Amino acid sequence: MTRTVYVNGEYLPETEAKVSIFDRGFLMGDAVYEVTSVLDGKLIDFEGHAVRLERSLNELDMQPACSKEELLAIHRKLVELNDINEGLVYLQVSRGSNGDRDFVFPDPETTKPTIVLFTQNKPNLADSPAARKGAKIISIDDIRWGRRDIKTVQLLYPSMGKMMAKAAGADDAWLIEDGHVTEGTSNNAYFVTNGKIVTRPLSTDILHGITRAAVMRLAEEAQMEVEERLFTIDEAKEADEAFTTSASAFVMPVIEIDGVQLGDGTPGPIAKRLREIYLDEARKKAI
Ligand code: PDD
């Protein structure tokens, strides 16, 4: 099926959508993005993603491409036009194109941002075979830039990390900086020991996950103990269980780290419970 996508105010078949070769997203990685999941044809955590988008744009002195209300309307229209029951909406805003290549930012008065949205149909997003099995993780150095709190499209190293994981027979990678785990290539990282959930505190070192915020609130509401602190990969390897969170995989149990099996090698009870609670609440609050 040819998708209908959104580019700068127009809904078009994906085959007809065009962006300039001089677009700074393309030439410089000068763009930010958001991924919002869809369950039962409705948007999950839209408000959180919209607020983070605004923050990313602000941090980079980029113009808002449109209002939050317009953004919601575009998301909803694409979900409807593409008949998405379960899946994702990808949104990207770049600093646009002034018709040439230059390191200097173009004048925002004359160069408008480029905004692109498209949907991805994922019928098994909630009832995911990968989540039933759990993920195998390897650890690799974190050599990304220093502003990981800004959700930029500079995803080459995370892509390489996923390829390194694949080559090692694993599913994903966790990133290590100064001896501590920062986060996963495209998710936030947690381990659980004696019922206590441990994850790295928010800073410019990691993306402030929208799913992280929801899952930590739900964990506390369910009387689970949550501790935000730096942790090493060895602590995670010795843990009872581990998991990651993201908009595209919700709560994903981790069953192996660097070849070391966690627990009995199946998804742990806390990760499974948090996935259930999160999905339940996400469906109730979806818009
Ligand atoms: N990735 N950390 C990184 C580096 C990420 O890329 C992501 C999301 C997260 C989790 O954030 P959230 O819960 O808001 O999705 C953490 C998205 C899903 C992606 O790149 O596809």
Side-chain angles (χ1 to χ4, degrees):
M1 188 184 120
T2 307
R3 276 177 287 198
T4 300
V5 302
Y6 177 92
V7 186
N8 295 331
E10 283 189 289
Y11 293 89
L12 298 164
E14 63 187 33
T15 46
E16 287 171 30
K18 288 191 178 65
V19 173
S20 166
I21 62 157
F22 300 112
D23 193 274
R24 289 183 59 89
F26 180 58
L27 294 182
M28 305 276 182
D30 189 357
V32 298
Y33 77 107
E34 283 295 331
V35 176
T36 303
S37 54
V38 178
L39 292 175
D40 313 320
K42 291 183 180 167
L43 300 162
I44 304 302
D45 286 334
F46 174 80
E47 177 69 20
H49 290 285
V51 169
R52 186 173 61 191
L53 171 68
E54 210 172 297
R55 181 179 179 278
S56 293
L57 291 168
N58 247 319
E59 292 296 309
L60 296 175
D61 281 330
M62 276 168 69
Q63 305 289 308
C66 59
S67 71
K68 202 192 286 180
E69 292 69 34
E70 284 170 312
L71 216 51
L72 176 58
I74 300 165
H75 276 74
R76 282 181 162 158
K77 188 155 179 189
L78 281 183
V79 168
E80 189 194 316
L81 289 172
N82 293 292
D83 202 14
I84 306 293
N85 182 51
E86 280 189 27
L88 304 170
V89 181
Y90 177 86
L91 151 83
Q92 178 169 323
V93 182
S94 84
R95 206 182 301 272
S97 153
N98 66 351
D100 205 353
R101 179 176 183 269
D102 192 344
F103 281 84
V104 175
F105 292 174
D107 180 352
E109 283 303 315
T110 47
T111 300
K112 295 296 160 204
T114 301
I115 174 164
V116 170
L117 285 93
F118 58 82
T119 54
Q120 292 181 288
N121 192 30
K122 307 257 181 199
N124 288 322
L125 202 62
D127 185 20
S128 148
R132 275 200 298 276
K133 203 163 143 251
K136 293 182 180 175
I137 299 296
I138 59 163
S139 61
I140 60 173
D141 282 347
D142 194 342
I143 59 165
R144 298 173 300 163
W145 82 323
R147 288 304 305 273
R148 301 151 193 161
D149 56 315
I150 307 173
K151 198 162 170 62
T152 78
V153 299
Q154 300 171 70
L155 297 177
L156 178 56
Y157 189 65
S159 293
M160 289 168 70
K162 292 212 192 259
M163 295 309 291
M164 289 183 236
K166 203 174 161 191
D171 304 295
D172 205 351
W174 283 9
L175 308 168
I176 315 286
E177 185 173 61
D178 298 333
H180 296 113
V181 176
T182 51
E183 58 187 335
T185 56
S186 63
N187 42 58
N188 292 116
Y190 312 73
F191 73 88
V192 185
T193 296
N194 297 328
K196 189 199 280 180
I197 301 163
V198 177
T199 195
R200 188 179 178 104
L202 296 180
S203 70
T204 51
D205 299 336
I206 63 170
L207 187 73
H208 302 191
I210 303 305
T211 321
R212 178 189 186 279
V215 166
M216 287 181 63
R217 179 175 48 77
L218 292 169
E220 274 165 8
E221 281 171 19
Q223 316 297 328
M224 296 176 187
E225 204 183 337
V226 180
E227 189 182 5
E228 292 179 75
R229 66 166 171 85
L230 299 185
F231 65 94
T232 65
I233 198 72
D234 285 340
E235 282 183 275
K237 279 187 213 166
E238 285 159 17
D240 300 329
E241 53 176 299
F243 62 92
T244 61
T245 61
S246 68
S248 52
F250 311 122
V251 178
M252 173 63 69
V254 168
I255 55 164
E256 189 183 294
I257 301 175
D258 286 336
V260 176
Q261 179 182 300
L262 302 191
D264 64 0
T266 64
I270 290 189
K272 281 203 293 199
R273 181 85 192 104
L274 283 174
R275 185 177 174 90
E276 267 172 32
I277 303 175
Y278 175 77
L279 284 172
D280 199 40
E281 151 136 333
R283 284 186 198 279
K284 280 191 203 139
K285 289 197 170 160
I287 59 169

